[in-house]
Amino acid sequence: MGPATPFLLVLSLAMLAPVLSTSKCVLTGRWVNDLGSNMTIMAVNEKGEFLGSYHTAVTATGNDIKVSPLQGSQHRTNKNSQATFGFTVNWSFSDSITVFTGQCFVDEEGKEVLKTMWLLRAEVDSIKDDWKATMVGTNVFVRLRSKKE
Ligand code: BTN
C-alpha cells in the first residue's frame, strides 16, 4: 500500500456517494398536487408508456368535475433515476385538454416529487378567440399516503 492509497480510497468513495444516494423516482402510484388534485398512474410499461386517472380539484368551467383519463410517456428509465415524462388529460366533463410535462425527483429528504408544467387548451367558438384559448401553469405533486400510513 503506497502513501497515496488512503487518499485514493476516500476520493473514490466521495465520487461514488452521489450516485449511490440517488434513489429511483417511480411514477406509478397515487399523487396529490398543490391545488389538491389527485391522480393515479398505473404501471409504466417497457416502452415507458402509462395510463391513469386524474381527479382535478378545480375547473375553469361551471361543469361538475368528473374523474378523467390520462395517458403518458416516461423517458428511458434505465439511464436516469429521475426521469422526465409527459402526459395528457382528456377531460371527460369539458371540451378542454391539458398536457403536463415534468420530471420525477427524489428530494433531499428522500421524498419523491413531480415538478410539472402544464398547458390547458380550451375550446373556443371561433378562430377570433384563439388568443384566449390556452392557459399555462405549474403543479408540484407528492405521493398521496393512505390514512393507515
Ligand atoms: C377544465 O376546467 O376544462 C378541465 C379541468 C382543468 C384543471 C386544470 S389542469 C391544470 C391545473 N392542475 C390541476 O390539477 N387542475 C387544473
Side-chain angles (χ1 to χ4, degrees), residues 38-40 52-56 65-71 88-94:
N38 291 355
M39 71 169 171
T40 301
S53 58
Y54 201 107
H55 191 181
T56 180
I65 291 171
K66 292 194 173 70
V67 177
S68 302
L70 73 79
Q71 49 184 309
T88 301
V89 186
N90 189 335
W91 301 106
S92 55
F93 61 92
S94 84

Side-chain angles (χ1 to χ4, degrees), residues 80-142:
N80 195 337
S81 59
Q82 301 193 114
T84 54
F85 61 88
F87 62 85
T88 301
V89 186
N90 189 335
W91 301 106
S92 55
F93 61 92
S94 84
D95 297 319
S96 304
I97 291 268
T98 304
V99 291
F100 287 81
T101 182
Q103 187 167 353
C104 190
F105 289 106
V106 179
D107 73 10
E108 278 157 8
E109 283 136 34
K111 209 175 70 171
E112 291 164 302
V113 54
L114 309 181
K115 298 280 276 181
T116 71
M117 190 151 193
W118 53 263
L119 287 173
L120 184 157
R121 174 69 197 206
E123 193 187 66
V124 286
D125 288 339
S126 89
I127 199 168
K128 284 202 295 342
D129 293 329
D130 181 63
W131 64 272
K132 61 176 178 184
T134 309
M135 289 174 227
V136 61
T138 58
N139 280 136
V140 179
F141 294 82
V142 293

Side-chain angles (χ1 to χ4, degrees), residues 43-50 72-77 84:
V44 179
N45 73 17
E46 67 290 344
K47 290 191 210 154
E49 300 157 345
F50 57 87
S73 183
Q74 184 190 46
H75 209 279
R76 287 189 308 275
T77 49
T84 54

